[in-house]
Amino acid sequence: MSAQPDFAVQINRLKKERQAVILAHYYQRSEVQDIADYVGDSLGLAQQAARTEARIIIFCGVHFMAETAAILCPDRQVLMPDPHAGCPLANMVTVRELEKKKKQYPDAVVVTYVNSPADIKAISDYCCTSSNAVKVVQSIPPDRPVIFVPDKSLGRYVERETGRQLILWHGYCPTHHRILASDIKEKKKKYPNARVTVHPECTEDVIKLADKVVSTSGIIKYVRETDAREFIIGTEMGILHRLKKDNPDKLFLSASRLTDCPNMKLITLEKILWSLEDLIYEITVPPDIAARAQGAIKRMLQLV
Ligand code: CIZ
C-alpha cells in the first residue's frame, strides 16, 4: 500500500465543503489539470470564474491570471496555491516605464497583452489576448500610433498580420524563446508529415516555420479540426496533456524539451490542498486599479 496520501480525494472533499471551484491553465501539471473543474486560457478561465456560483476560486496558473480573475470577479475570494508563481514576461513592464513612454507618444493608444500586471492594464486603453491582438489593433484608427506591451514577439506578429508599425516593448516569454528554429527543422526531418503549430510568443524565425500560429485555445481547435496524425507543438509543454487526452489517436511532439515553464509548475496537488485547508494565498487588486483594468478588458471584449 502506498504511504502517499490521496490528495485528490482530500481536495475533492474539501472543495465541496468550502464551495470552491478549481481553475487550471493549459500549462499546468497534468495532475493539476485532471483535478480542475475547468481548464483553459487565462481569459477563458477568468470568464468561467465570473459565471460560477462558487464562493472561492482556486486559481492554478501564474499571478497575472489570478489577478484577471480577481478583477472580473470582485465578489469572490481568489486563491493561488503558490504566490511565487509569477510570469517573467508580465514583470518586464513597470508603471513608471510605461508612463514615460506614454508621455513620449501622447497620441498613442496603449494595447496591453493580458500577460501583464493589473496596474499596467489600468493605464492601458485596451487589453488583448494572443487570439484577438490582431483584431484589437485593426480596430484602432490607422492615424493613431499604438504602443504594444509587453511582448515584442506577439507585437511583431501583429505588425506582420496588420501591416502596421507598432511601438514595441522589450518583453518576451523566456519559455517560448527557448524554442529554436533548429528544433523545429530537426523534428520536421524525422516527422516530415507533421504539422507545426506555434504560439505567437515564439521568435520570428520559429513562427516562419509554422503551418499555424495561434493561441493556446487556437492550438487545441486546430489540432482537433485538422486531419493530420502528427503535430509539432511550439508552446509550453503542459498543453500536450490536454491535446493527448482529446486526440488519443494523434501523435504530439513538443517543439523543444525546454518548454517547461518553471513558474507554472510551482502549483502541485499538495499546495492546492493546503490552499483549500488554510484559504491561502488570496490575490486581491485595489478597487481603483481593478476598475480601470476592467475598463481595458471590457473594451477588448466589446470589440471581439
Ligand atoms: O492567455 C493565456 O492563457 C496565455 C498565456 C496564452 C494563450 O495563448 O492562451
Side-chain angles (χ1 to χ4, degrees):
M1 207 170 89
S2 159
Q4 177 84 346
D6 192 341
F7 291 129
V9 171
Q10 295 182 60
I11 289 169
N12 282 323
R13 180 182 50 77
L14 210 51
K15 192 179 73 174
K16 275 201 197 108
E17 274 176 39
R18 299 274 198 220
Q19 295 176 44
V21 69
I22 301 177
L23 306 183
H25 193 268
Y26 292 127
Y27 295 161
Q28 288 289 296
R29 292 170 185 270
S30 308
E31 64 274 21
V32 170
Q33 293 189 42
D34 287 343
I35 199 115
D37 297 290
Y38 302 100
V39 181
D41 62 20
S42 60
L43 183 67
L45 290 175
Q47 289 175 317
Q48 191 64 52
R51 280 196 291 268
T52 73
E53 302 277 292
R55 279 186 326 110
I56 294 169
I57 295 155
I58 306 287
F59 204 106
C60 304
V62 290
H63 193 264
F64 79 84
M65 299 179 177
E67 268 191 344
T68 310
I71 291 166
L72 293 184
C73 325
D75 54 339
R76 315 285 160 81
Q77 194 177 16
V78 179
L79 303 176
M80 253 185 101
D82 189 323
H84 303 293
C87 169
L89 165 61
N91 295 338
M92 287 178 195
V93 53
T94 64
V95 168
R96 201 159 145 244
E97 282 178 308
L98 183 54
E99 291 289 18
K100 203 166 145 198
K101 189 66 94 186
K102 283 172 66 164
K103 279 204 184 105
Q104 211 182 325
Y105 298 95
D107 287 349
V109 176
V110 179
V111 178
T112 293
Y113 187 27
V114 67
N115 295 37
S116 57
D119 54 3
I120 295 293
K121 290 185 181 82
I123 56 167
S124 304
D125 298 295
Y126 291 95
C127 188
C128 75
T129 66
S130 47
S131 60
N132 62 32
V134 169
K135 262 195 189 152
V136 170
V137 168
Q138 274 168 340
S139 77
I140 297 165
D143 57 328
R144 298 285 303 277
V146 174
I147 300 174
F148 191 91
V149 288
D151 191 286
K152 63 180 175 189
S153 297
L154 177 62
R156 286 212 188 97
Y157 170 73
V158 173
E159 282 190 327
R160 291 193 296 278
E161 291 295 303
T162 60
R164 275 179 85 147
Q165 205 183 339
L166 308 177
I167 301 156
L168 294 178
W169 206 255
H170 49 76
Y172 65 95
C173 166
T175 300
H176 284 95
H177 275 219
R178 282 196 291 274
I179 303 171
L180 305 178
S182 56
D183 293 327
I184 308 263
K185 284 179 191 158
E186 260 172 46
K187 295 239 159 36
K188 268 300 260 190
K189 249 190 225 158
K190 237 174 141 184
Y191 298 90
N193 296 324
R195 296 286 173 87
V196 180
T197 175
V198 309
H199 196 276
E201 287 177 28
C202 288
T203 58
E204 194 173 337
D205 50 349
V206 167
I207 285 179
K208 272 190 193 146
L209 297 171
D211 298 297
K212 190 81 177 170
V213 184
V214 266
S215 67
T216 50
S217 306
I219 290 176
I220 286 168
K221 185 167 180 276
Y222 173 68
V223 163
R224 191 179 54 231
E225 292 174 356
T226 305
D227 270 348
R229 316 286 303 169
E230 296 163 349
F231 294 85
I232 297 167
I233 307 294
T235 191
E236 210 281 344
M237 60 171 70
I239 201 171
L240 268 74
H241 178 65
R242 175 59 181 266
L243 292 172
K244 286 177 187 166
K245 235 174 150 174
D246 287 356
N247 310 274
D249 53 338
K250 297 185 178 180
L251 176 74
F252 299 100
L253 304 151
S254 185
S256 155
R257 58 190 175 80
L258 302 179
T259 55
D260 205 4
C261 170
N263 298 290
M264 283 284 177
K265 300 306 177 334
L266 282 175
I267 313 280
T268 61
L269 288 186
E270 201 168 9
K271 289 179 191 171
I272 294 174
L273 182 58
W274 293 338
S275 184
L276 278 163
E277 278 174 349
D278 297 337
L279 298 181
I280 49 175
Y281 295 89
E282 187 165 4
I283 304 300
T284 55
V285 178
D288 57 322
I289 291 182
R292 283 182 287 135
Q294 202 178 64
I297 297 172
K298 286 202 170 143
R299 282 190 285 280
M300 161 185 80
L301 293 174
Q302 275 159 11
L303 280 178
V304 292

